[in-house]
Amino acid sequence: MLSDGVFDRRRQRLVDQMREHGISDERVLAAIGSTHRHRFVEKAFRPRAYEDEALPIGMKQTISQPFTVAYQTMLLDVQPGDRILEVGTGSGYQAAVLCEMGARVFSIERHRPLLARTRDLLASLGYRVALKTGDGTLGWASQAPFDGVVITAGASEAPETLLRQLRIEGEDDKPAGRLVAPVGNRETQTMWLYRRLAEDRYEKTASRQFKFVPLIGQQGGL
Ligand code: SAH
C-alpha cells in the first residue's frame, strides 16, 4: 500500500512536469496539485496514477492523460463561478479539476454503469457536479448558456448544438463562451478552441495534436 505522503510527493512532481511541458496557468497547476488522481483510477493502477499517461477505467474507456486535462482546462480559461459543461464524464477526474478551479460543473456520460460509479466517487470526495446519462453532443439545453464546454472524446467536428449553448460575448457583461474540442479522425485529433463572439460568429483557433477515445453521438461522432 502506498501512503498518502507518497501520493502527495508524486502529485507535486506531476505539477512540476506539467509546468515544464508548457502549462503556464498557475491556477490550473494548483487544481492539478489538489486533485487526487489516484482516487479516480482502479486500485491496481494507483501506483501509476501520477505518471503522465491515460489509464483504463473499464468499458474500453480511459481517464485522460494529466497533460491533456491540464491543457484543455487551460484553454477553457475557467473563472470562479463559470458554468462549465463536460461531455464524457468517464472517471470524473476532469470534472473534479474543474470543481477545484471554482466552476459550477455539469457533465454528461453515455455509459450508465460508468456514470453510476463516478457519481458515488465524486460525492464521496465532496465534489458537487450535476451529472446526467445521455448523448452529450446534444448538450444540456435547460442549463445553457455555458461559459465553457469541454469535449473529452475525439470528434469529427464541433457539434453545432454545443456551439449554440455557449454564452455570446457581452451577455450578462461576461466574456465569450468557449468550446474546447479535439477534432479529427480515429487516429489523431487537433485541439480546437471556439469563442462565441455573436449569435452566428465564432473565433476558431487550432493547437496541438492529441489522441482520444472516440466521441459516439448524433453530432460530431467518430
Ligand atoms: N473526462 C474523462 C475522460 C473519459 S474518456 C475523465 O476525466 O476521465 C471519454 C468519455 O466520453 C468516455 O467515458 C465515453 O464513454 C464518453 N463519451 C463518448 N461519447 C459520448 C457522448 N456522445 N456523450 C457523453 N459521453 C460520451
Side-chain angles (χ1 to χ4, degrees), residues 72-87:
Q72 288 194 291
T73 307
M74 187 164 79
L75 285 184
L76 267 180
D77 191 19
V78 181
Q79 301 301 321
D82 274 2
R83 299 168 68 81
I84 306 286
L85 173 67
E86 177 192 26
V87 175

Side-chain angles (χ1 to χ4, degrees), residues 58-155:
M59 310 202 71
K60 289 197 194 155
Q61 306 305 323
T62 54
I63 178 173
S64 301
Q65 209 180 320
F67 179 79
T68 306
V69 172
Y71 191 83
Q72 288 194 291
T73 307
M74 187 164 79
L75 285 184
L76 267 180
D77 191 19
V78 181
Q79 301 301 321
D82 274 2
R83 299 168 68 81
I84 306 286
L85 173 67
E86 177 192 26
V87 175
T89 317
S91 69
Y93 177 68
Q94 169 78 77
V97 169
L98 292 167
C99 287
E100 294 284 350
M101 300 282 299
R104 257 192 86 182
V105 185
F106 301 82
S107 185
I108 307 174
E109 168 59 49
R110 61 186 287 274
H111 282 303
R112 190 179 295 276
L114 192 53
L115 190 65
R117 203 176 68 196
T118 297
R119 188 186 293 280
D120 289 347
L121 176 69
L122 287 169
S124 75
L125 295 175
Y127 290 113
R128 286 174 50 173
V129 179
L131 296 166
K132 147 170 131 163
T133 308
D135 179 359
T137 68
L138 304 178
W140 198 327
S142 63
Q143 298 293 347
F146 295 102
D147 299 291
V149 176
V150 58
I151 305 182
T152 68

Side-chain angles (χ1 to χ4, degrees), residues 21-22 67 71 75 182 188-192 206-210:
H21 290 179
F67 179 79
Y71 191 83
L75 285 184
T188 176
Q189 304 94 32
T190 303
M191 196 64 76
W192 282 90
S207 51
R208 311 167 54 123
Q209 299 291 116
F210 290 87

